[in-house]
Amino acid sequence: MELTKRQMDIVSAAITVIAKRGYEKLTTKNLAAELGLTEAALYRHFSSKHELVEMILCYFEELSCAVIGRIKEQKLSPLDSIRSFVLNRYELFSENPDLAQVMFSEELFRNDPSFTRQYQSIMHIHKEEVISFIKAAQANGCVDQSYIPVQIFRIIVGSMRLIVSQWNISQHGFDLRLEGSALLETIIKLIEVKK
């Protein structure tokens, strides 16, 4: 996905509008006001609200795939690969709290089944990659092989979703990176082979 600087500005402004006011308030009028543009200027960059939301999801997917690519390039151990992926999510959301609000919004995905399909596709990429790290950790004797990899994935990602939701609800009242890291280390201690 190649976005121009102006399109990226519009995507960022749309994320802010959805995070602060909700999906229903993502209108050309509100978006133009956020950016200091005319409504007509917006249509030169995106043909519809639907296309704009699709671009928000593509933007998130691109960020996620880039992280997975960097992890693979670094040739980290399986457990460090899991750590790197999860801690990157906490870092990303800490730096972009509006993105965290939007990506964990039920409202966005209730409005259009195509958004749900697109988000599920992104989650599938995450799932396949993290499960491959879990299986590798089991194969090298770091993680207990009696655990089903998909269940470990659900524990890791489900706990991430919970803590990010708590962070959003608390108006970012705690250090997401610090709390998220501590939570991940607790999970790793639970699934690691005891030596």
Side-chain angles (χ1 to χ4, degrees):
M1 171 189 75
E2 283 293 321
L3 292 177
T4 65
K5 169 138 181 19
R6 176 55 80 193
Q7 286 175 317
M8 193 60 234
D9 291 343
I10 294 167
V11 165
S12 296
I15 289 169
T16 299
V17 169
I18 295 169
K20 303 285 190 245
R21 298 187 244 171
Y23 175 76
E24 293 303 320
K25 297 294 182 182
L26 181 62
T27 62
T28 53
K29 181 179 178 181
N30 288 337
L31 194 52
E34 183 77 27
L35 288 161
L37 296 174
T38 64
E39 291 181 60
L42 291 174
Y43 285 111
R44 286 197 295 268
H45 300 284
F46 292 100
S47 62
S48 66
K49 177 177 176 176
H50 189 274
E51 181 187 12
L52 180 54
V53 174
E54 284 179 340
M55 285 300 107
I56 291 170
L57 293 171
C58 286
Y59 168 66
F60 183 66
E61 180 176 9
E62 191 172 273
L63 291 173
S64 296
C65 289
V67 169
I68 290 166
R70 284 193 301 272
I71 290 168
K72 288 179 174 181
E73 286 172 9
Q74 293 172 345
K75 300 189 183 331
L76 301 172
S77 72
L79 281 179
D80 283 340
S81 295
I82 294 167
R83 280 187 182 97
S84 185
F85 178 78
V86 173
L87 296 179
N88 175 271
R89 302 290 84 186
Y90 293 134
E91 184 74 27
L92 173 67
F93 293 142
S94 292
E95 292 174 2
N96 302 283
D98 289 346
L99 182 61
Q101 189 76 34
V102 171
M103 295 318 298
F104 288 98
S105 166
E106 300 289 326
E107 176 192 18
L108 182 63
F109 304 106
R110 272 197 309 261
N111 288 293
D112 190 317
S114 70
F115 299 153
T116 303
R117 284 190 299 277
Q118 192 174 355
Y119 191 64
Q120 284 174 327
S121 173
I122 297 166
M123 287 191 318
H124 184 72
I125 294 166
H126 294 174
K127 178 181 171 186
E128 293 304 309
E129 294 299 335
V130 175
I131 286 175
S132 75
F133 301 148
I134 293 165
K135 287 179 177 178
Q138 287 178 317
N140 72 16
C142 293
V143 170
D144 189 326
Q145 291 186 5
S146 68
Y147 297 128
I148 300 168
V150 72
Q151 300 303 341
I152 296 172
F153 168 79
R154 287 178 179 146
I155 290 167
I156 291 169
V157 175
S159 66
M160 181 195 316
R161 186 173 181 89
L162 174 63
I163 200 168
V164 171
S165 295
Q166 289 173 331
W167 181 68
N168 282 333
I169 290 168
S170 75
Q171 302 290 313
H172 316 125
F174 58 88
D175 186 325
L176 180 61
R177 287 172 273 225
L178 187 65
E179 293 294 322
S181 178
L183 177 60
L184 177 61
E185 290 309 315
T186 299
I187 293 168
I188 287 173
K189 283 180 188 170
L190 293 171
I191 64 173
E192 272 184 315
V193 171
K194 310 301 182 262
K195 297 182 179 174

